[in-house]
Amino acid sequence: MRDSARARLEEAFAHDRAGREAEAIPSYEDALALGLPDGPRQQALLGLGSSLRNVRRHREAIDVLRSAVAEYPDHAGLRFFLALALWSGGEERDGFRTMGAIALESADLRGYGRAASWYLEHDVD
């Protein structure tokens, strides 16, 4: 990984830890543009999406996180933050479905897994 990309990523993390999400966003974007290997790239995409959501740039957060989930579909953290962004962005049903799918992967539903999956996929009030 290039030192400049790592430095920008660390800067983004520092801004996030300090509650300065608006300042973290350009640092995440720069780190991603400079090129990161998979692990740090996943962290940067999650951080960027989360920071965008926190500053109420919901559409951008959803776009970043949807793209990240498409790239890394098994990354539960990215999917979790996508669910939050969907919820915050007014797409509550999709956010709930996304969160429900994460829960189903680890839940012991004692024989009710198929029914729970069906309810997540269908619009049943």
Side-chain angles (χ1 to χ4, degrees):
M1 173 171 32
R2 295 173 49 182
D3 289 339
S4 54
R6 171 52 87 180
R8 292 298 282 164
L9 183 58
E10 292 301 326
E11 183 179 293
F13 292 155
H15 286 308
D16 258 348
R17 283 190 299 273
R20 298 186 308 264
E21 290 91 347
E23 295 174 48
I25 292 167
S27 298
Y28 283 125
E29 291 171 334
D30 288 350
L32 288 161
L34 290 167
L36 296 165
D38 278 342
R41 179 173 170 73
Q42 292 167 9
Q43 291 177 303
L45 290 166
L46 193 152
L48 176 58
S50 176
S51 291
L52 288 165
R53 176 186 167 270
N54 287 340
V55 299
R56 301 187 181 280
R57 291 167 56 183
H58 298 119
R59 176 52 36 208
E60 292 170 81
I62 292 167
D63 291 345
V64 164
L65 291 164
R66 271 198 175 129
S67 177
V69 167
E71 189 174 347
Y72 303 105
D74 295 329
H75 193 291
L78 289 169
R79 292 171 38 226
F80 177 86
F81 279 88
L82 172 59
L84 293 175
L86 288 164
W87 187 272
S88 297
E91 298 180 38
E92 294 90 353
R93 192 171 295 272
D94 286 341
F96 179 79
R97 283 184 179 138
T98 301
M99 191 67 72
I102 295 166
L104 282 175
E105 291 173 6
S106 61
D108 178 4
L109 297 174
R110 308 217 185 266
Y112 291 94
R114 193 174 84 191
S117 294
W118 188 89
Y119 282 115
L120 283 175
E121 293 301 317
H122 295 84
D123 291 336
V124 177
D125 295 300

